[in-house]
Amino acid sequence: MRQDRSLETAVERIEDWSKQPGSPITALWRKPAREADCRPLPAEVSAPLRSTLAARGIRQLYSHQLEAWEKIDRGENVVIPTPTASGKTLCYNLPVLNALSEDPETCALYLFPTKALSEDQLDELQSLISGMGSGIRAFTYDGDTPQDARKSIRQRANIVLTNPDMLHTGVLPHHTKWARFFEHLRYIVIDELHIYRGVFGSHVGNLFRRLKRICDFYGSKPLFICCSATIANPKELAGKLIEQPVSEIESNGAPQGERFFAFYNPPVVNRQLGIRRSYIAETRRLASSFLENGQQTLVFANSRLATEILVRYLKDAAERGALPPESVRGYRGGYLPRERREIEKQLREGEVRAVVATNALELGIDVGSLDTVVMAGYPGTIASTWQRAGRAGRRQSLSLSLLVASSAPLDQFIVQHPSYFFDASPEHAQINPDNLEVLISHVKCAAFELPIQDGETFGPHPTAGLCEFLGEAGLLHHAGNSWHWTSESYPADAVSLRTVTSDNFVVVDITGEPNVIGEVDFNSALTTLYEKAIYLHEGRLFHVERFDYKERKAYVKNVECNYYTDAIDYTQVKVIETFESEPLGPAARSYGEVRINRQIVGFKKLKFYTAENVGAGKLSMPEQEMHTTAFRLTFPHAFLQSFTDYSSAEKRSGLVGLGNVLRTVGSLLLMCDPRDLGVAISSGVDRSGPESDPELYLYDNFSGGIGQSEPLYRMHDQLLRRSRDLLVSCPCEAGCPSCVGPLGEVGEKAKEVACRFLNELTPARNA
């Protein structure tokens, strides 16, 4: 086919390009095609199911599918961590449908992280059920399910497909209406397990504690079947989430087409300042060339703003070329469900030739066979990068993935040390379900669902102290050897599994008749929907006319302008409690609980294509407060005074640059997304007195913390030495975006001052 041939030509050009001196292609990885490792279908598979599979061309199983069948048949919980498009769906559909063939009363709960994935999997499941000609009843049950259909689903469904949020607010609190379902619940499928990390995973771990508690009440002991993308610790993560023994499926018998993966580092345009070509502009150029050559392309961006800018750029490029602008679409959270389903369908059918997406399309939604994936910036983790790359070549065809590095330090580290990426295992997914703030929220929900008995545990935790605390707060009452919920409030509604608050802002287009065009989560709304902001949606520009904080609405009008806006925030940190502290040469290190106050104080107007600053404005948005934990470096005033050859401004700039480097190296050591770590500098560089000693904070960017600050405290020596190595090895002269940050954020001597600070804190290296 022409597309295959042109893709081969594109790969050949990149191979030639990578061999040229000074090439921006810093690495080209190739994985050869692999044949399938197939095994016979188990004899126990029922005749209707066997014939249905045969009609779909499935007469054998991949080795990992058979291994999963055997372990599930033995009554083991399993986790299947195979790559994208390796047939994980059949790993759980096969045992569930076979059990339903034998016992029509059997029930199964399928959990997917998003509603879109539930709908996608329902289509696959319904086609199997239809082929079997059985009376198996499978339905999605989520926020979009009509009210008049819900009662019927509760009474009749064998298989319910839902998401953690609906399980949390719509199923468990109303379990008495689901009595039949829970009594016969035999399987719980957890798809996209790797998504349940950080604060979301910590909440979901407690959600499963509540789910198992309900199952015990109805006398069922379901098996857990978990599916995950490739991460370093799938068995450990699954075990932490369900708090039961889990068997890992280690084989992968799925076939795979030939795959190429290239790292592209935009050329340097100012060597002294270390400034490279814009990674957004380079992504646009490369993606446009693939489109012109007929390759269906998926572009990933790391933020809502970058996504919308790239949509606009690629629509402009399509219009100048032979493609209609409608062949380029955006895809991100905040688009309305109907709009997203339409984009998915058009992508599968080939009507759309390019989609620019956030991580919303990392998941296993079927988008057909894509030729190329272009990533605008490193996603933050090895696991996420491979997940995005796996979206190309899903039908065992040739595929090409291209990572375009930004100037961020972590991006530059990855593309300049490709062996770190290609030779290292993916990250460990970390959760902390015992985070007190998260834990007590779910104890409230559990008490609402069923009285908490004296001596009962919630996970490994005795509940007596927690219940007494909630009793003193007037939420629980002790009677008859158990604690009962007494408040009129509905606790699940007040607990968001994903964010600090469950409130979303609705975006209303008032250009003509008022029309809702999207929604934005609470935290993002404060940085994107302030008055005078330019809100981008599918490449179209809207001016925010009014921001109604109380009603959670933003009113926008369609405009044409040559700039977009970017918010400026201000962060303050206050130490609440220090858990541990030790001297660190002339400074000190510690970690503990802190309060973060963040406020949006202004915005910049940035010109499209050049990012030139063409204006600014002041804002007074509501201040947001968060309690979390932080690793802290304290620099005594006497230590800073010893650097007599630098001004106060230069010393502060050095601390800001040092904070940027420490966050980069810290995220590598913790194997987490850099956005999971916040960085802040306290004031006091040019004042005396112990209360004014400046401090540098690396804090957990989640309310309550997820356990990242203590490891940084323990690994301080490695953290500081690697940070120093990164600064010394960076080829720039005076600091650049690849080490201490952009010069608009730090001064000309930031790199020099940061190196001096690190030399003092790591004296052994200088011996």
Side-chain angles (χ1 to χ4, degrees), residues 549-597:
Y549 182 84
K550 185 176 180 181
E551 296 296 325
R552 302 295 194 258
K553 291 179 181 177
Y555 298 90
V556 302
K557 277 188 178 179
N558 193 212
V559 295
E560 280 302 323
C561 60
N562 64 351
Y563 70 90
Y564 58 95
T565 52
D566 195 15
I568 303 167
D569 67 350
Y570 175 68
T571 302
Q572 279 187 312
V573 185
K574 179 175 176 59
V575 177
I576 304 298
E577 182 180 356
T578 299
F579 300 149
E580 286 190 50
S581 178
E582 281 190 1
L584 182 65
R589 65 183 173 101
S590 56
Y591 85 97
E593 184 182 352
V594 296
R595 185 182 71 216
I596 307 291
N597 290 86

Side-chain angles (χ1 to χ4, degrees), residues 683-701:
S683 58
V685 177
D686 51 1
R687 294 198 299 267
S688 60
E691 66 278 358
S692 65
D693 289 345
E695 294 179 311
L696 190 159
Y697 301 88
L698 288 181
Y699 59 87
D700 273 12
N701 217 355

